[in-house]
Amino acid sequence: MATAEALYSSLAQGLAATGNDLLRQESLAVAQGLKRQDAGLLDELIVRYQHRLLRYLLYLTSNRELAETCFKRSGCGAGARAQFNGQARFDTWLFTIARNLVIDQRRKRTMASLDELFEARRKTIVR
């Protein structure tokens, strides 16, 4: 029984290592393809992740317009694609960029609302 458990554990570790190697190789291949500006690869990645990414952004923002704006800026720009280096999985990188864009948008909105608040207060004091 102990031998079967040890064999199963060893087999599971081997499969996990193989899976991790495959993910690492895929991430590096995606990074190289994006640096070459492979249009077919970009189209494939957009098709693969567009629905999950948009749903994620809708969840974070609760606003379709803002979600679509962040979606367009998330990984489709040439600058963003060139930054992917293959050290992480592509979807992890893409969703992190999307989350950071939402955070940036919220910061801008908060600052704008604070500016409006101070401006309104200044007008009431001046009168």
Side-chain angles (χ1 to χ4, degrees):
M1 180 120 166
T3 307
E5 289 177 7
L7 180 62
Y8 176 74
S9 176
S10 175
L11 181 61
Q13 288 175 352
L15 289 174
T18 303
N20 288 338
D21 288 341
L22 289 175
L23 285 174
R24 191 172 301 114
Q25 289 172 358
E26 180 183 3
S27 294
L28 290 173
V30 168
Q32 291 169 352
L34 290 175
K35 285 185 176 134
R36 286 191 315 264
Q37 298 179 352
D38 183 353
L41 175 64
L42 181 60
D43 291 342
E44 178 186 334
L45 292 172
I46 289 171
V47 168
R48 184 186 300 180
Y49 295 109
Q50 66 184 350
H51 298 294
R52 280 181 46 207
L53 182 60
L54 189 54
R55 276 196 315 265
Y56 177 66
L57 288 167
L58 283 168
Y59 170 76
L60 290 178
T61 63
S62 301
N63 179 324
R64 182 138 187 114
E65 184 179 329
L66 180 57
E68 288 175 353
T69 300
C70 291
F71 175 79
K72 290 175 186 172
R73 295 180 55 209
S74 59
C76 300
R81 291 191 311 258
Q83 292 175 359
F84 180 65
N85 60 12
Q87 296 299 317
R89 290 181 13 201
F90 181 77
D91 59 341
T92 302
W93 175 82
L94 182 64
F95 281 69
T96 300
I97 286 179
R99 184 195 55 170
N100 289 340
L101 286 170
V102 170
I103 291 169
D104 289 345
Q105 289 295 322
R106 288 193 174 153
R107 282 182 186 149
K108 288 177 186 176
R109 187 177 66 215
T110 302
M111 291 304 294
S113 64
L114 286 174
D115 288 343
E116 291 170 7
L117 177 67
F118 288 130
E119 184 63 33
R121 185 165 182 183
R122 214 175 305 146
K123 286 180 183 179
T124 58
I125 293 173
V126 171
R127 290 183 187 176

